[in-house]
Amino acid sequence: MTLLALSAMILAAVLGAIVCFRVPAVSVRARRTWATVFLILLVLAAGTAAASALQGKGAGIEPWGAVLAIVSAVAAAALTGSPVTAAVLQFSQRTGRLYRSGRRPEPSDTAPADPERDSDLHGGLWIGVLERIGVAVTLIAGWPTGLTVLAAIKALGRFAELKEPDAVERFILGTFGSFLWAAAWAGVAMLLTKGL
């Protein structure tokens, strides 16, 4: 079970390295496909890590295995989060629905057709990779207060660009999606190294 979880983590990290920096260049459908693949790998890794932990094998992992689990979890968190975050942003867009007020959105009210390509928040891909590394490392290291520091740094860096309501919503959705994705991978590493 532990070997299967490690294999899923390593596969996710390798595929993430191949896909991560191509995310803005690929179609929305391809991003959703990659997000689904990465979600399946996360569920596989988490399920097998949890099964190992329930059997009491999680904390008995060899030191080299623990290092490999931590490194591959951080890499998987950092490199697989881009298509997942882009998919979250895409799913959150309104498409032809009425607002609660009963009016249809005007063209200026609608979200961009493609949040990764049309975004005003440039550099988001690199910021996302670095923030997911930070989230995973702080959680694995047992310093959850670091999440507050990371969120504050990210918000301060984008403060001037967050004057539009659409930008604020996309910023919050992207940040939450990215943080939760990295926390899930960190949880898999913690299950493998520390058990339950």
Side-chain angles (χ1 to χ4, degrees):
M1 292 280 194
T2 302
L3 186 58
L4 185 58
L6 281 172
S7 299
M9 291 167 59
I10 293 168
L11 180 60
V14 169
L15 290 175
I18 294 168
V19 173
C20 180
F21 298 103
R22 293 184 53 231
V23 166
V26 298
S27 69
V28 171
R29 177 178 279 169
R31 281 190 233 150
R32 287 182 184 167
T33 302
W34 280 111
T36 303
V37 168
F38 293 142
L39 182 60
I40 290 168
L41 288 172
L42 173 62
V43 168
L44 176 66
T48 54
S52 292
L54 287 172
Q55 293 174 356
K57 298 178 182 176
I61 193 170
E62 295 290 327
W64 64 267
V67 170
L68 183 61
I70 290 169
V71 169
S72 59
V74 171
L79 298 172
T80 63
S82 295
V84 173
T85 303
V88 167
L89 290 171
Q90 188 67 35
F91 286 134
S92 70
Q93 291 181 356
R94 293 183 190 264
T95 54
R97 295 187 190 170
L98 294 176
Y99 286 115
R100 287 187 183 182
S101 65
R103 69 176 180 88
R104 292 216 177 263
E106 296 174 17
S108 62
D109 291 342
T110 59
D114 189 341
E116 267 308 296
R117 292 182 187 158
D118 301 335
S119 176
D120 292 332
L121 303 178
H122 300 292
L125 178 68
W126 282 101
I127 292 169
V129 168
L130 294 174
E131 88 182 17
R132 287 186 294 275
I133 289 171
V135 167
V137 168
T138 58
L139 290 176
I140 291 169
W143 187 52
T145 308
L147 298 177
T148 307
V149 174
L150 290 168
I153 290 170
K154 186 175 178 184
L156 284 174
R158 294 292 193 192
F159 184 74
E161 298 175 40
L162 296 176
K163 295 185 182 190
E164 296 295 321
D166 183 48
V168 171
E169 288 178 3
R170 286 188 3 254
F171 176 80
I172 291 170
L173 277 170
T175 300
F176 281 165
S178 188
F179 272 41
L180 290 171
W181 186 254
W185 282 109
V188 173
M190 292 168 71
L191 275 174
L192 285 175
T193 58
K194 299 175 184 173
L196 291 176

